[in-house]
Structures are given as structure tokens and as C-alpha cells.
Amino acid sequence: MSDFDGNGFAELLIIVILVVLFVFGSSDIDDLTDSPS
């Protein structure tokens, strides 16, 4: 059970990190597109 819990926690962490990176990436892209230099 401990192994399964660790696996689920790792999956949740990876999903959260991917979502955060995607959101930050979208923000950066929006900022760059908003003000093209």
C-alpha cells in the first residue's frame, strides 16, 4: 500500500508541475504577444 500511495503522489506531483508550467508558459506567451518588441 505504501508503494501504491507513493506512486499516486508522484503522479499527482507530475500533473501539478505540468499544469503550473503550462500556465506560466501561457502567461509568458500572452505577455510576449501582448507587447511585441
Side-chain angles (χ1 to χ4, degrees):
M1 193 177 278
S2 195
D3 191 40
F4 178 77
D5 192 45
N7 233 1
F9 185 69
E11 274 186 33
L12 185 67
L13 265 182
I14 292 171
I15 292 172
V16 169
I17 290 171
L18 285 176
V19 171
V20 169
L21 285 176
F22 182 75
V23 169
F24 271 90
S26 293
S27 283
D28 287 346
I29 291 170
D30 281 346
D31 286 342
L32 289 174
T33 307
D34 212 28
S35 55
S37 299

